Amino acid sequence: MGRAEVGTPKYIANQMKAKGLQRLRWYCQVCEKQCRDENGFRCHTQSESHVRQMLIVGENPQKKIKEFSDQFRRDFVSLLKSSHGEKKINVNKFYQEYISDRNHVHMNSTRWVSLTEFAKFLSESGVCKIEADPDREGSLMIAYVDNSPEAMKRRDAARKRDKDESEDFEYEQKLLQQQVKKAKKQSADSDESKSSGEEPKELQREGAAPIKLALNFAKKPIAKPIARPKPIKLR
């Protein structure tokens, strides 16, 4: 039975069925062909084209595995850089994003046995950094490390800014503590001066004798008026 012609209903139906993520075990990396079920994959492995490709790979299998490994690493890191940058993401979640492309290189055709082993390889190479996922036990978080000169300048500027802000905060805290100590010392000196000072005394008199006031109402002599000089007449 031949393939359906482009534009026919059967061709469109086959394309719709092929959309989305398929089973990894039914994908032939050598032929770059995705099968929809086990029967289709078995038929493909018995086809003449597949046998011919496997004979070519069998001549130097290590070379082919290295090519697949290098391509997988490049595509994985490139997608991580372009889609998430230096933000952290769960490595399993990101791998689902990576394999959503049907034309990608599968991990089962590379030299890495598991995704965890591949993530550790990227961390040891300095390409990415990994850490334990606090939300998922036994899972890892991965983040791309940008080592370009521009990124290094941005990180240096950010570290310098954080250092300046930290120094300013420490200086403000030190100044505030000095002001608090000064205010406490002034308050203590004021309390000490009040406690050591003499309290105002009330007016007290000895004995019970009444108080006498001496008032002098003597008449003062009336001052004589000053005589005015007589006017001099001129002839």
Side-chain angles (χ1 to χ4, degrees), residues 172-232:
E172 292 176 358
Q173 291 295 320
K174 185 177 180 180
L175 184 61
L176 181 61
Q177 291 177 1
Q178 291 177 355
Q179 292 177 352
V180 170
K181 289 181 181 179
K182 184 177 180 180
K184 289 182 178 179
K185 184 177 180 181
Q186 291 178 352
S187 178
D189 295 343
S190 178
D191 295 340
E192 185 179 355
S193 62
K194 288 182 180 179
S195 60
S196 61
E198 296 183 356
E199 297 181 355
K201 297 181 179 180
E202 296 181 356
L203 179 63
Q204 296 180 359
R205 58 191 181 88
E206 298 178 356
I211 299 174
K212 295 181 179 180
L213 299 178
L215 301 177
N216 187 4
F217 295 100
K219 294 182 178 180
K220 295 182 180 180
I222 300 174
K224 295 181 178 181
I226 300 173
R228 296 180 179 178
K230 294 181 179 180
I232 301 173

Side-chain angles (χ1 to χ4, degrees), residues 72-80 94 98 118 122 142:
F72 175 77
R73 177 181 54 83
R74 287 194 303 268
D75 295 344
F76 188 94
V77 174
S78 178
L79 182 61
L80 179 64
F94 176 73
Y98 171 75
F118 176 65
L122 294 179
I142 190 171

Side-chain angles (χ1 to χ4, degrees), residues 17-41:
K17 290 179 182 179
K19 284 184 178 180
L21 185 62
Q22 304 293 325
R23 292 289 185 91
L24 182 60
R25 60 179 180 173
W26 296 334
Y27 183 83
C28 178
Q29 184 65 62
V30 176
C31 301
E32 298 183 356
K33 179 177 177 58
Q34 175 69 63
C35 301
R36 291 195 294 268
D37 52 25
E38 186 177 0
N39 183 45
F41 184 73

Side-chain angles (χ1 to χ4, degrees), residues 15 116 133:
Q15 292 297 320
T116 302
D133 191 346

Side-chain angles (χ1 to χ4, degrees), residues 20-153:
L21 185 62
Q22 304 293 325
R23 292 289 185 91
L24 182 60
R25 60 179 180 173
W26 296 334
Y27 183 83
C28 178
Q29 184 65 62
V30 176
C31 301
E32 298 183 356
K33 179 177 177 58
Q34 175 69 63
C35 301
R36 291 195 294 268
D37 52 25
E38 186 177 0
N39 183 45
F41 184 73
R42 184 172 62 252
C43 294
H44 168 71
T45 56
Q46 295 174 358
S47 65
E48 182 181 357
S49 60
H50 176 76
V51 174
R52 186 168 54 251
Q53 290 294 331
M54 291 303 297
L55 290 175
I56 296 174
V57 173
E59 294 177 358
N60 193 352
Q62 296 300 327
K63 179 181 178 182
K64 201 65 178 178
I65 292 175
K66 185 179 183 302
E67 291 178 359
F68 288 148
S69 300
D70 293 342
Q71 185 178 351
F72 175 77
R73 177 181 54 83
R74 287 194 303 268
D75 295 344
F76 188 94
V77 174
S78 178
L79 182 61
L80 179 64
K81 177 183 178 181
S82 60
S83 59
H84 299 283
E86 296 182 314
K87 295 181 180 179
K88 299 177 183 178
I89 185 173
N90 184 274
V91 65
N92 293 314
K93 182 179 180 181
F94 176 73
Y95 184 69
Q96 294 298 321
E97 296 180 9
Y98 171 75
I99 63 177
S100 62
D101 183 5
R102 295 180 57 198
N103 298 321
H104 70 276
V105 177
H106 288 71
M107 180 174 287
N108 61 354
S109 60
T110 66
R111 64 186 180 91
W112 295 287
V113 179
S114 64
L115 185 60
T116 302
E117 182 182 350
F118 176 65
K120 291 180 179 179
F121 167 79
L122 294 179
S123 177
E124 293 173 357
S125 302
V127 179
C128 301
K129 58 182 179 180
I130 59 174
E131 61 183 33
D133 191 346
D135 300 330
R136 298 181 182 180
E137 186 177 357
S139 186
L140 297 175
M141 299 288 288
I142 190 171
Y144 176 72
V145 177
D146 192 354
N147 293 321
S148 62
E150 294 78 9
M152 295 179 68
K153 289 181 181 179

